[in-house]
Amino acid sequence: MKIDHSLPLEYSTDQNQYNILGFWIFIGAEIMLFATLFASYFTLVDRTGSGPTGAEIFEITPVLIETLLLLTSSFTIGLGVHAMRLGNKKAMLTFFSITLLLGLAFLGVEIYEFIHYVHVGAGIQTSAFTSILLTTLGTHGAHVTLGLFWGLFIILQVKKRGLTPQTANKSFIFSLYWHFLDVVWIFIFSFIYLKGMM
């Protein structure tokens, strides 16, 4: 395996470059998934039946907390990748761990939010609106949950094997995934919550 030392560690082999390209293609498929959910949401947003509307159930405080947690986690994962490129394993692991803790806190707030929705009569079967709302939020939440397990395995691998072209490549690909979840959340925050509260 030829390692090109002029490139960042995560890009340093041909295989690593193919892995990153392959992951960008996967992200393309994920964009299509969320685009479909958003298109469905915009189609069904006014179909509330006898159930509540977004303006009646959305609370700004938990949504702002979730947004702050995820945007901060995007910053910390960026710091983690920067530390990795500097070869600072300890700092990288610290920033990756902080990222996962922020992600866990985000999930905690989201679970609280789901319980609140069901409590105020906005369950998945209440109306077309609540159904697509909970499906869209739940799909994003499931992606965050997967990310938490994935990130944990990355941390354990780097701890065990150190910073190699392989572990750096996996860590970088995970950071792309995490940034993608943040971008999706910005769309959820803007077009579902803010628009729904107006």
Side-chain angles (χ1 to χ4, degrees):
M1 182 176 59
K2 193 163 80 58
I3 298 172
D4 185 345
H5 294 288
S6 68
L7 294 169
L9 199 56
E10 69 271 18
Y11 283 100
S12 62
T13 70
D14 286 345
Q15 183 61 53
N16 280 11
Q17 291 172 28
Y18 291 133
N19 290 351
I20 292 167
L21 174 64
F23 193 74
W24 277 114
I25 294 167
F26 168 75
I27 291 283
E30 288 282 283
I31 289 168
M32 295 313 293
L33 166 69
F34 281 103
T36 306
L37 286 169
F38 280 116
S40 304
Y41 178 82
F42 295 134
T43 306
L44 301 172
V45 67
D46 297 322
R47 309 239 173 116
T48 52
S50 57
T53 64
E56 291 169 330
I57 61 170
F58 293 154
E59 294 180 335
I60 191 70
T61 310
V63 176
L64 285 176
I65 293 168
E66 285 169 320
T67 305
L68 186 69
L69 288 167
L70 262 198
L71 292 181
T72 307
S73 76
S74 204
F75 179 64
T76 56
I77 195 94
L79 292 173
V81 169
H82 182 66
M84 176 185 85
R85 286 178 174 163
L86 294 175
N88 190 337
K89 180 177 142 182
K90 190 178 173 200
M92 178 213 163
L93 291 173
T94 302
F95 285 124
F96 269 59
S97 300
I98 293 167
T99 300
L100 296 188
L101 288 172
L102 290 164
L104 193 61
F106 167 86
L107 266 187
V109 178
E110 191 162 69
I111 290 164
Y112 157 79
E113 207 180 9
F114 269 54
I115 293 166
H116 162 73
Y117 291 154
V118 173
H119 187 68
V120 297
I124 201 153
Q125 293 178 322
T126 305
S127 67
F129 160 67
T130 58
S131 179
I132 191 60
L133 171 72
L134 296 176
T135 302
T136 305
L137 297 178
T139 303
H140 180 265
H143 278 72
V144 173
T145 306
L146 173 78
L148 292 177
F149 285 104
W150 185 4
L152 186 62
F153 288 127
I154 295 281
I155 287 169
L156 294 173
Q157 272 201 340
V158 172
K159 264 189 159 168
K160 189 178 169 190
R161 298 179 189 164
L163 288 173
T164 67
Q166 287 77 27
T167 58
N169 187 241
K170 289 174 185 177
S171 303
F172 179 70
I173 287 171
F174 170 71
S175 78
L176 293 179
Y177 176 80
W178 199 262
H179 286 308
F180 168 72
L181 295 183
D182 287 358
V183 172
V184 171
W185 181 259
I186 290 165
F187 278 92
I188 290 173
F189 175 72
S190 307
F191 296 110
I192 293 181
Y193 288 114
L194 290 186
K195 197 165 173 286
M197 287 176 197
M198 284 174 186

